[in-house]
Amino acid sequence: MDCPEGPAPTFAPPPELPKLPTEELRTKLPRVPTGGRVDESEVRRTLAALDLDPRIRTEVEADGGRVGVLLSVKGDHFGPQDCLLARVVPGATEVWVPPRIQRMPGEGGCSVANALDPAPAPH
């Protein structure tokens, strides 16, 4: 097959993905004292007040006196997923990005379940 005449097609770069608010989430999530009670609605209000880019998917789940949070951005389905996990429990509020291997497609690291019960670090 012959190549078409003219210059090779060019494409604009893909749109820039929104940044996940790691430090903002870390500072604004509620701190519950040991022996206290985690309020899921307070966590949801905190997330709503962050005024997140609509392309950031948010999941919140309460389980057994703790609340897990997932913030994620849809990726290219080949590289690691861009996600941020948080867990609010009495005595500790944690925010982290799972290891790269756990963020690969099909690995399940970017899930609210992983926020509630973090998978062990890869070998």
Side-chain angles (χ1 to χ4, degrees):
M1 172 170 255
D2 293 330
C3 290
E5 303 240 348
T10 58
F11 303 94
E16 202 168 302
L17 297 175
K19 300 290 181 217
L20 295 173
T22 306
E23 289 309 314
E24 192 174 9
L25 187 63
R26 187 172 280 128
T27 60
K28 295 194 176 186
L29 277 175
R31 303 293 191 264
V32 179
T34 302
R37 184 179 165 279
V38 180
D39 182 358
E40 178 185 0
S41 60
E42 183 180 359
V43 172
R44 289 181 181 277
R45 283 191 303 273
T46 299
L47 292 172
L50 291 177
D51 194 30
L52 298 171
D53 184 300
R55 295 174 292 171
I56 297 176
R57 184 179 67 141
T58 303
E59 287 184 44
V60 177
E61 185 176 315
D63 180 49
R66 56 204 175 127
V67 175
V69 175
L70 165 68
L71 301 182
S72 65
V73 177
K74 189 174 183 175
D76 61 10
H77 305 289
F78 299 105
Q81 174 85 31
D82 192 11
C83 71
L84 184 60
L85 302 179
R87 181 176 51 194
V88 180
V89 298
T93 295
E94 303 168 276
V95 176
W96 73 98
V97 174
R100 177 183 167 88
I101 191 67
Q102 291 179 357
R103 294 183 291 121
M104 295 303 288
E107 293 301 320
C110 289
S111 69
V112 74
N114 195 31
L116 287 167
D117 296 303
H123 50 278

